[in-house]
Amino acid sequence: MKKGLLLAVTLLLVLTLSACLGGGGREETTVDIPDALPNEPIEIVIWHAFGEDNQALLQEMFDSFNEEYPQVTITQLGQGGYDGLRESTIQSIVAGTTPTIVFGYPDHFVEYLNGNALVPLDEYINHDVHGVDLDDFVDGFLAENQQYLDGNQYSMPFAKSTEMVVYNKDFFDAQGVELSRTTPLTWDEVEALADTMVGNGENQCDFMFNADSSSNFFINSSRQWDAGYTDGEGNILVDNADTRDMLNYFNGLFDEGIMSFPIEWDENYGSEPFKDGLVCMSQGSTAGTRYNIPDEESPFNEMGIVPVIQRDLDNASVMQQGPNVAVISDADNNQRLAAWLLLKHMTNTENTADFAMATGYVPVRKSGFETAEYQEFLSIVDKYDDEGLEGLSPSERLDLPFAMAATVAFAQVDWYQYDPAFVGRVTSSGARQEAGLAFEAIYAGTRTVEEAIERMLNQLGQ
Amino acid sequence: MLEDKSNVKAWFYLAPALFLLTIFIFYPIFNALFLVFLRDYNYLQGTWEGFTLFENFLYVFRNQNFTQALTNTMIITFVSVPISVIIALLISVWLNSVLKLRGFFQTIFFLPYVTNAIAIGMAFAFLFNQNYGLINTMLGWVGLNPVNWVGLGATWGNAMFSLLVYVVWASLAFKIMVFLSGLQNIDKQYYDAARVDSTKRYRIFRRITIPLLSPMIFYITITSFIGAFKAYTQVIGMFGVRLGPPGNDKSLITIVALVYDALDRSGVPGALSEAAATAIVLFLITLVFTLINMQVSKNRVHYSGGGK
């Protein structure tokens, strides 16, 4: 009898808790934009994955926003890395404790859209009073944020970066090779350079080239080879002759010791091997420029930066990356408007230029590249070309790597591409991961090109 | 009447524990069971597209990594548990016979238990490093070539061997502690009597130590099997999220890693049900082997006579 009672009470508790499973679903997000922000306290919470330095830069933007809208209280909270940010946001959507603004990638945003958790921004963008001119945004950055299958725009570009190639300038100078910051090298040219630059001698490296991200390298090379990768529907398009051709080509470079990935040195990035002079050129994000600057122990003093290597300059392609921003739908209409106005403020011409100069990211607006301050920042590179390091002031020397990265990023602006975000049993982030693993397995010699493609397709349920 | 009163009191005292158990144990178990039968459960919305009996299990079995995960889990379990139980038993018997510095040795052997598993895993990855690891250095002393245990493109066999060494080593501490406490509870009279009869040490070990320690051995074997089936932290500790050597990623994936892999896609409809189904499959595998273990041990465990 007692046991029965205990069982019944326990079952009741369990069933009551289980009712939490079925939330009844979230309704489609409707947009109703107030004409003006009311003069009453409005709270905005922002979740991102930035460290202390970038948080301080954001705070400056919030402070200037508060000068115009003192009624808005803004709180920013770092959520660790981007995986942590995504996980926290998903849990907050389930628990109903969401922030107002969330940073992230379209991969993340399409997941949040499964919970109708994002506000479509189109009506804000086109609003007579609060709208913004999208024509001023860099096309490639904008396209990434306009890719959602229902045709709405759910996010805005904020801290964007692109891939670039740092090179050991001292070694190249010693070989009498001068590289251009605006015209990319082709793979044929890199192979030719490797003939003299790879080796154990003076001013030579163990490897000619390293790519930090094997995933990015797979995706971008697929574009350069006109091979498929994925589409917005989640189809994996790598089972074709062009992909095989591309992978076989790089497999040849692996065998010749021309090309490497950071796993060669048990590293996540190639910056340390680059600084140690083990690899002559390293492809990575412009946002990671600072990590490649040679230090006291480096066997060289100066690094240079050039655009991403291309197969064919008529079919150039470059990865763009870096987080975008979206507004969460749990916010009320005033919070949403305040959030939108803040996004506008954070991405205005001055702020996007200032943020870019301080971080190594690139401006998201074309006008950001054209501000006097930004042009002056870029002019450090010209001064360096004319007068060398000796001609630069100490602060200009510190800014030089970032100015070079910015120059290269601008030179590549027409080649920015993004990979489609999708979410189903197979996700775009899963496809990215498998693409990178396929390349690394070929590099390590644990799989042939054919086996790597087959495994990638199997892993992605194709 | 008096019994009723004490029953009420007992329930009252048990209430906090029952309440917490309900929330943190019964509810999650029930939830996992419930999730398994939902089709395309959308975690973000709390909605699902009807019910299904086997669909989520089919996703588990069709997962390209399931066979590999099952194989790895079985190998980790059926190799590491017997080896670690035997080694722990031998070390305990030796420790029990040591008169000098016993406390010191006990502390040494117990240290892994209070050390972070990830940190130990990293240390073992270092020990097995191809270029500067201690293992290859020692191989060099006897004229053997260095082996690529865990480095770029290391084979599954080498990586699994390294992992097993780590798993066995890390699991010794708790077993030694339990065996040692069991050994110290065995009445000395049995040993004195054996000594009077000039019984050989091996015979004493087989006829006195093992039978009187059998409840502890049984307990340790069962809990070790259950723990080994849940192997995951050890793989992460040694190989990181790659779950294998660089260039041979996921080659050491385990069933629990499949659960986390599905949970990592929690925003995708159906992913939580897939995670729950994987957990249920692991539970059933563990249950079957535990029952077999209990059946096999039935007539071999000697419950009386240990202690005074």
Side-chain angles (χ1 to χ4, degrees):
Chain A
M1 179 68 189
K2 293 268 162 49
K3 278 181 186 167
L5 186 70
L6 175 68
L7 194 70
V9 171
T10 309
L11 206 63
L12 187 71
L13 253 170
V14 163
L15 285 172
T16 310
L17 287 166
S18 294
C20 303
L21 262 181
R26 295 161 71 102
E27 289 177 6
E28 293 275 329
T29 307
T30 52
V31 175
D32 184 8
I33 307 174
D35 291 335
L37 213 52
N39 196 16
E40 59 188 52
I42 298 171
E43 286 196 20
I44 286 182
V45 177
I46 299 177
W47 283 5
H48 54 61
F50 287 134
E52 276 181 25
D53 291 348
N54 288 351
Q55 286 190 27
L57 294 169
L58 285 182
Q59 192 57 51
E60 284 176 24
M61 293 185 198
F62 302 156
D63 292 342
S64 56
F65 180 78
N66 279 143
E67 285 172 17
E68 192 175 351
Y69 300 104
Q71 70 271 44
V72 181
T73 307
I74 305 164
T75 309
Q76 57 168 326
L77 289 169
Q79 299 290 326
Y82 283 100
D83 287 341
L85 173 62
R86 177 187 147 273
E87 186 60 35
S88 300
T89 307
I90 285 175
Q91 301 301 348
S92 75
I93 291 168
V94 175
T97 55
T98 48
T100 327
I101 292 174
V102 65
F103 281 64
Y105 289 87
D107 288 345
H108 305 170
F109 296 150
V110 288
E111 277 195 67
Y112 308 157
L113 283 171
N114 274 336
N116 291 331
L118 297 183
V119 178
L121 300 176
D122 305 76
E123 290 186 40
Y124 291 89
I125 291 166
N126 299 318
H127 196 270
D128 290 341
V129 183
H130 311 302
V132 69
D133 177 18
L134 287 186
D135 289 342
D136 190 28
F137 283 80
V138 174
D139 298 337
F141 296 156
L142 202 57
E144 184 194 22
N145 289 281
Q146 291 178 326
Q147 62 167 304
Y148 304 99
L149 286 181
D150 65 2
N152 290 322
Q153 180 171 345
Y154 288 96
S155 52
M156 293 289 286
F158 175 70
K160 303 305 290 183
S161 56
T162 175
E163 288 202 308
M164 54 157 192
V165 174
V166 295
Y167 69 95
N168 184 324
K169 190 167 181 301
D170 291 9
F171 286 13
F172 276 80
D173 285 349
Q175 304 281 355
V177 180
E178 196 173 327
L179 302 180
S180 164
R181 280 189 210 95
T182 50
T183 308
L185 287 168
T186 63
W187 283 109
D188 289 341
E189 289 170 324
V190 171
E191 276 192 83
L193 285 169
D195 289 341
T196 53
M197 298 208 60
V198 175
N200 298 319
E202 201 178 341
N203 297 318
Q204 287 187 315
C205 313
D206 293 351
F207 293 90
M208 184 68 198
F209 185 85
N210 162 74
D212 272 358
S213 166
S214 53
S215 298
N216 280 359
F217 199 76
F218 187 109
I219 296 165
N220 198 49
S221 300
S222 296
R223 292 194 192 111
Q224 292 185 5
W225 260 252
D226 270 334
Y229 168 56
T230 62
D231 61 20
E233 308 283 340
N235 297 306
I236 312 299
L237 311 170
V238 300
D239 189 8
N240 61 71
D242 291 324
T243 303
R244 284 178 178 79
D245 187 26
M246 179 270 288
L247 292 173
N248 278 318
Y249 173 75
F250 287 109
N251 198 16
L253 297 194
F254 298 154
D255 291 342
E256 291 170 43
I258 293 175
M259 163 95 200
S260 62
F261 289 122
I263 53 172
E264 175 65 33
W265 303 278
D266 205 12
E267 298 272 358
N268 292 322
Y269 299 96
S271 47
E272 287 304 320
F274 172 71
K275 286 194 292 187
D276 290 342
L278 299 174
V279 59
C280 287
M281 309 179 93
S282 182
Q283 180 171 311
S285 167
T286 51
T289 303
R290 73 187 66 179
Y291 303 108
N292 294 292
I293 299 171
D295 53 34
E296 288 168 0
E297 291 172 13
S298 300
F300 64 103
N301 295 316
E302 290 189 49
M303 73 164 189
I305 302 179
V306 291
V308 167
I309 318 295
Q310 303 293 331
R311 182 195 191 200
D312 172 3
L313 297 190
D314 292 331
N315 188 33
S317 168
V318 176
M319 290 296 290
Q320 55 140 317
Q321 42 199 20
N324 307 287
V325 270
V327 180
I328 299 272
S329 58
D330 287 348
D332 64 32
N333 288 332
N334 291 333
Q335 283 177 310
R336 289 181 186 181
L337 178 58
W340 166 251
L341 293 173
L342 181 60
L343 294 196
K344 248 179 80 177
H345 178 75
M346 288 161 63
T347 53
N348 71 23
T349 302
E350 290 73 29
N351 281 330
T352 193
D354 289 348
F355 189 76
M357 285 187 286
T359 57
Y361 286 105
V362 293
V364 296
R365 282 176 181 255
K366 294 167 192 163
S367 58
F369 285 97
E370 289 153 13
T371 61
E373 272 187 327
Y374 200 76
Q375 286 300 315
E376 192 184 332
F377 170 68
L378 294 181
S379 70
I380 297 172
V381 179
D382 296 330
K383 194 174 173 188
Y384 166 72
D385 286 342
D386 294 339
E387 304 172 31
L389 268 184
E390 299 75 25
L392 301 183
S393 68
S395 69
E396 286 173 331
R397 285 188 188 194
L398 290 176
D399 283 341
L400 177 65
F402 304 99
M404 284 198 289
T407 304
V408 167
F410 187 64
Q412 302 182 134
V413 79
D414 292 332
W415 308 325
Y416 290 167
Q417 305 241 16
Y418 65 90
D419 45 309
F422 52 87
V423 62
R425 285 285 171 180
V426 177
T427 61
S428 44
S429 56
R432 275 181 59 78
Q433 187 193 28
E434 289 304 329
L437 294 183
F439 232 146
E440 289 185 354
I442 296 168
Y443 181 74
T446 52
R447 286 190 192 95
T448 63
V449 166
E450 208 54 51
E451 287 167 348
I453 290 176
E454 192 185 333
R455 181 179 161 90
M456 182 177 170
L457 291 169
N458 283 339
Q459 289 286 320
L460 297 170
Q462 303 290 305
Chain B
M1 185 69 187
L2 198 65
E3 194 183 328
D4 278 358
K5 241 185 179 177
S6 60
N7 265 348
V8 170
K9 255 187 172 177
W11 285 117
F12 182 74
Y13 290 136
L14 281 171
L18 283 175
F19 180 72
L20 291 174
L21 281 172
T22 305
I23 289 179
F24 294 111
I25 305 288
F26 303 142
Y27 166 63
I29 290 174
F30 182 84
N31 233 355
L33 274 172
F34 190 52
L35 277 172
V36 161
F37 300 112
L38 302 183
R39 177 175 286 137
D40 288 340
Y41 174 64
N42 184 331
Y43 179 50
L44 289 163
Q45 298 237 35
T47 56
W48 56 86
E49 309 293 326
F51 295 92
T52 173
L53 265 182
F54 300 114
E55 195 174 280
N56 290 310
F57 288 105
L58 286 179
Y59 278 117
V60 177
F61 298 132
R62 282 181 194 151
N63 187 320
Q64 290 299 315
N65 296 314
F66 181 74
T67 314
Q68 186 70 55
L70 187 65
T71 309
N72 290 336
T73 305
M74 290 295 174
I75 289 173
I76 291 170
T77 304
F78 290 101
V79 174
S80 76
V81 173
I83 291 176
S84 61
V85 168
I86 291 168
I87 294 177
L89 190 58
L90 295 175
I91 292 175
S92 314
V93 171
W94 173 72
L95 267 180
N96 198 39
S97 66
V98 168
L99 295 176
K100 284 181 184 172
L101 296 174
R102 183 191 291 178
F104 172 73
F105 285 121
Q106 279 181 0
T107 310
I108 294 279
F109 281 110
F110 191 63
L111 270 181
Y113 193 67
V114 290
T115 311
N116 181 285
I118 303 289
I120 301 175
M122 290 169 75
F124 265 79
F126 193 81
L127 286 176
F128 279 98
N129 185 286
Q130 185 176 6
N131 301 317
Y132 43 80
L134 181 67
I135 306 295
N136 276 350
T137 306
M138 287 164 69
L139 289 179
W141 292 342
V142 290
L144 294 174
N145 289 327
V147 177
N148 182 9
W149 299 107
V150 296
L152 178 63
T155 61
W156 173 86
N158 287 352
M160 178 56 92
F161 177 82
S162 316
L163 179 68
L164 286 171
V165 171
Y166 161 48
V167 172
V168 167
W169 184 84
S171 62
L172 286 178
F174 182 69
K175 293 183 178 77
I176 290 172
M177 188 182 70
V178 173
F179 287 152
L180 204 56
S181 66
L183 286 170
Q184 285 164 358
N185 275 335
I186 296 176
D187 196 329
K188 295 238 172 337
Q189 287 181 17
Y190 294 113
Y191 292 110
D192 293 340
R195 225 166 273 136
V196 169
D197 294 340
S198 303
T199 315
K200 287 179 180 165
R201 284 175 75 176
Y202 171 70
R203 203 172 160 77
I204 292 175
F205 179 69
R206 252 192 76 200
R207 296 292 183 184
I208 298 175
T209 307
I210 296 283
L212 294 182
L213 204 59
S214 58
M216 296 291 190
I217 296 172
F218 174 64
Y219 162 74
I220 280 293
T221 306
I222 292 279
T223 52
S224 300
F225 267 104
I226 294 171
F229 275 120
K230 293 191 288 184
Y232 174 67
T233 323
Q234 300 94 323
V235 186
I236 289 284
M238 205 155 172
F239 297 97
V241 290
R242 288 178 174 275
L243 301 173
N248 212 352
D249 299 68
K250 298 186 190 174
S251 57
L252 295 179
I253 194 168
T254 60
I255 298 181
V256 171
L258 287 182
V259 176
Y260 282 110
D261 184 47
L263 283 177
D264 200 37
R265 291 177 273 121
S266 57
V268 176
L272 280 197
S273 297
E274 194 181 321
T278 314
I280 300 286
V281 168
L282 178 61
F283 167 72
L284 292 175
I285 293 172
T286 311
L287 182 70
V288 167
F289 282 102
T290 305
L291 290 176
I292 293 172
N293 240 325
M294 291 176 81
Q295 199 60 36
V296 169
S297 311
K298 221 174 192 175
N299 300 321
R300 291 182 171 80
V301 180
H302 183 76
Y303 280 105
S304 57
K308 290 175 184 175

